[in-house]
Amino acid sequence: MVLSVLASYLALVLGIGLFGHRLFRGTGEDFFLASRTIGPLVLLLTVFGTNMTAFTILGASGEAYRRGVVVFALMGSSTAVLVPFLIYYLGIEAWKQGKRHGHVTQVQLVRHRYGSDALGALLFAVVVALMLPYLLIGVKGGGDALNALTGGPGVGLPAWTGSLLVCAVTYVYVSYGGMRSSAWVNALQTTVFVFFGVAAYVAVMSEQGGLAAAMDRLREEHRAMVAFGSDRFTVLQMGSFVILPLCTGAFPHLYSHWLSARSARSFRLAVVAYPVLIAAIWFPSVTLGAAGRLQFPPPLDGPILVKMIVANTGEILAGCLAAGVFAAIMSSLDSQILALGAMFTHDIVRHYGFQGTLREDRQVWFGRLFVLAFLALAFACSLVASQSIFALGTWALTGFAGLLPMFAATLFWPRATAFGAASSILTVVGLWVWFFWDSLSVEGAYSIGGTGLMPVAVIVPAATFSLVACSWLTPPPREYGIQ
Amino acid sequence: MESSYPRWPLLALLALAAAFENFWMWADDRLVLGVPVNLAYHVGLCVATTFVLAAVVRWGWPDDADE
């Protein structure tokens, strides 16, 4: 039954994705940006859906199972406060610049702003490298979820089948319909995982005697799970979690969605509704994960959310959950691979030699082939990756957060120079490698020297300092930025 | 490149970020309406952020955004 519901859902997704192809105008701008025609509601659902990954659905509940309800603050409300402001500042400005100058990718923006080819190449390499672990979250999450939903380790379908399914379905509708299909499917998928999430939550919590009863039991049996003080945070440590959502402002796939907007007014709904939607997704995810501690004592073999649904509801709802999880995963994966395809097509194929000599449809094919190769690589890596989804995600997000000062300066600070931008990117790369290497000595550790301070809290200020210092030490740009 | 953004939305963001640090009640394990008090506080913060953003969109929208 689980597989039947899931198969029906995937067929629906493919149908909508392929329908999007019927409106395809045959140009690169239409394929990668839907000819900049996306309206407010679809923009909201697609931007939100893009940011909701397996990291949110499976990672957050898993982390809440280990640490308690504090996870809502660490990753939920911090995102709800920061991300809408990033859309307000960076999204609108990026859209304006992109519309005015015909940008499709971040690398085009940076090359145009600083007039540096090498800087664009550096940024391309760093963004692609960071996208691999971020893509892995979705690919690996799909495999883990399908395995758990069909019986768990040793019994259920092997994880690689779920990973392969996610990759194949996403690739088909993205490569066929481009941004328009991706946006429409994202709108559907966001609706699906919100709707199924609420249905599953109500069903599971009813089995627990209601939310209040579950929290009361949790308070009695595991007091630390309901008080934030359990982790002995300092204000500085807690504050470092507000920095991590900065990554959203540097995601190449979110940049693509911003540029696909019909007008600046299209952003208004996304700015206002984002925090409430975040709360609507993270609250059930976190409370279910924490309540899971009552029913499944450690050690846990599989995603807690899936185990709770399977143990407390019928097979149809479990199938709906599978659809919801796959929706969350694919609504991010499609945007990510489309953005990668756009980058490869515009920043490599068109930029280095094929501009004017290769038809637009052929250039799009280059993007499709690159995406196929990249997905194959991500799938192969998912077979051997051992870190938890949350840990994988956190490291990828850290790198993107480090790139934010450079992007913000590119859009808003006329005095920023190519040397400043390059030094900022190189600072991020150097510190990221150093901290990641250091963390390997302690499995899954994400703090500097065991202090609890997250690496992102050091990388972002260091990248900012490097940007400002090198910009002031080098001659100002000839034309103060994009006029 | 000239910014047409008013300053007060940035101040509102800083105020919300400061409100995020509810350190005075981290050790509190009471339940409010069946929800841990710290969790309820942060859900309330999300709702408050929505109201602030509605004000930003209404009164703080950059002048040249829709050109």
Side-chain angles (χ1 to χ4, degrees), chain A residues 72-73 77 84-85 88-89 92 96 215 219 223 228-229 233 235 238-239 242 264-265 268 271-272 275-276 410-411, chain B residues 1 5 9-10 13 20-21 23 26-27 29 31 34 36 38-39 42-43 46 49-50 53 56-57 60-61 64-66:
Chain A
F72 182 88
S77 57
F85 281 94
Y88 168 70
Y89 284 110
I92 294 172
K96 276 168 55 184
M215 289 297 116
R219 180 171 172 246
R223 183 193 164 275
F228 284 13
F233 282 119
V235 171
M238 190 78 167
V242 189
R265 297 178 75 87
R268 293 186 175 203
V271 168
V272 174
V276 172
T410 301
L411 290 168
Chain B
M1 200 78 175
Y5 286 82
L10 195 58
L13 170 62
F20 175 80
E21 296 268 14
F23 55 87
W26 284 349
D29 65 348
L31 301 184
N38 281 283
L39 180 56
H42 278 269
V43 172
C46 293
T49 303
T50 292
L53 289 164
V56 167
V57 164
W61 201 247
D64 58 347
D66 296 300

Side-chain angles (χ1 to χ4, degrees), chain A residues 76-436:
Chain A
S77 57
S78 59
T79 304
V81 167
L82 198 59
V83 170
F85 281 94
L86 291 174
I87 298 173
Y88 168 70
Y89 284 110
L90 302 180
I92 294 172
E93 195 62 26
W95 177 83
K96 276 168 55 184
Q97 302 290 352
K99 176 118 177 158
R100 188 177 303 162
H101 300 288
H103 300 150
V104 176
T105 71
Q106 294 166 318
V107 173
Q108 286 180 317
L109 166 71
V110 167
R111 275 186 173 140
H112 184 187
R113 164 67 173 78
Y114 298 106
S116 169
D117 210 38
L119 183 61
L122 173 66
L123 181 63
F124 177 88
V126 171
V127 168
V128 169
L130 286 172
M131 282 299 273
L132 182 61
Y134 197 41
L135 270 171
L136 263 176
I137 301 172
V139 176
K140 200 166 161 47
D144 290 348
L146 191 64
N147 173 263
L149 282 161
T150 52
V155 181
L157 287 171
W160 67 265
T161 53
S163 298
L164 189 60
L165 196 60
V166 162
C167 291
V169 171
T170 309
Y171 180 73
V172 168
Y173 73 76
V174 168
S175 66
Y176 203 57
M179 173 61 89
R180 188 171 287 101
S181 291
S182 172
W184 287 0
V185 168
N186 272 352
L188 167 80
Q189 306 208 110
T190 304
T191 309
V192 163
F193 77 67
V194 169
F195 181 76
F196 287 161
V198 170
Y201 183 71
V202 170
V204 173
M205 276 304 177
S206 297
E207 289 294 312
Q208 305 290 320
L211 173 64
M215 289 297 116
D216 205 32
R217 270 186 65 203
L218 195 65
R219 180 171 172 246
E220 285 173 12
E221 296 177 24
H222 306 282
R223 183 193 164 275
M225 301 280 288
V226 297
F228 284 13
S230 60
D231 283 276
R232 294 192 185 84
F233 282 119
T234 64
V235 171
L236 192 60
Q237 288 164 354
M238 190 78 167
S240 68
F241 278 89
V242 189
I243 299 174
L244 194 58
L246 287 175
C247 60
T248 309
F251 283 155
H253 44 292
L254 209 60
Y255 181 82
S256 296
H257 283 307
W258 288 343
L259 265 54
S260 73
R262 185 191 304 149
S263 66
R265 297 178 75 87
S266 301
F267 287 89
R268 293 186 175 203
L269 182 62
V271 168
V272 174
Y274 203 92
V276 172
L277 280 177
I278 284 282
I281 291 293
W282 280 81
F283 184 85
S285 187
V286 166
T287 49
L288 271 185
R293 196 64 172 264
L294 300 168
Q295 196 169 356
F296 298 98
L300 193 67
D301 59 339
I304 182 61
L305 192 64
V306 176
K307 293 185 82 68
M308 291 285 280
I309 300 280
V310 170
N312 295 294
T313 68
E315 285 212 338
I316 291 181
L317 205 51
C320 290
L321 172 77
V325 171
F326 271 62
I329 290 168
M330 291 191 299
S331 64
S332 307
L333 196 61
D334 57 4
S335 306
Q336 292 163 345
I337 62 174
L338 189 63
L340 283 172
M343 288 173 65
F344 185 71
T345 305
H346 290 86
D347 304 332
I348 303 296
V349 176
R350 292 180 75 156
H351 188 77
Y352 293 109
F354 290 106
Q355 179 74 44
T357 61
L358 198 64
R359 290 203 327 255
E360 282 217 25
D361 58 337
R362 294 288 169 89
Q363 292 172 16
V364 171
W365 272 106
F366 270 101
R368 287 171 172 151
L369 286 174
F370 178 75
V371 164
L372 185 62
F374 202 82
L375 266 182
L377 177 65
F379 174 69
C381 290
S382 75
L383 301 176
V384 294
S386 62
Q387 277 189 294
S388 76
I389 288 172
F390 202 83
L392 274 175
T394 308
W395 280 107
L397 303 186
T398 298
F400 281 114
L403 294 178
L404 185 90
M406 190 274 297
F407 281 119
T410 301
L411 290 168
F412 288 104
W413 191 36
R415 184 61 178 79
T417 66
F419 280 108
S423 72
S424 182
I425 296 172
L426 291 173
T427 300
V428 173
V429 171
L431 288 175
W432 192 96
V433 170
W434 183 26
F435 288 137
F436 184 73

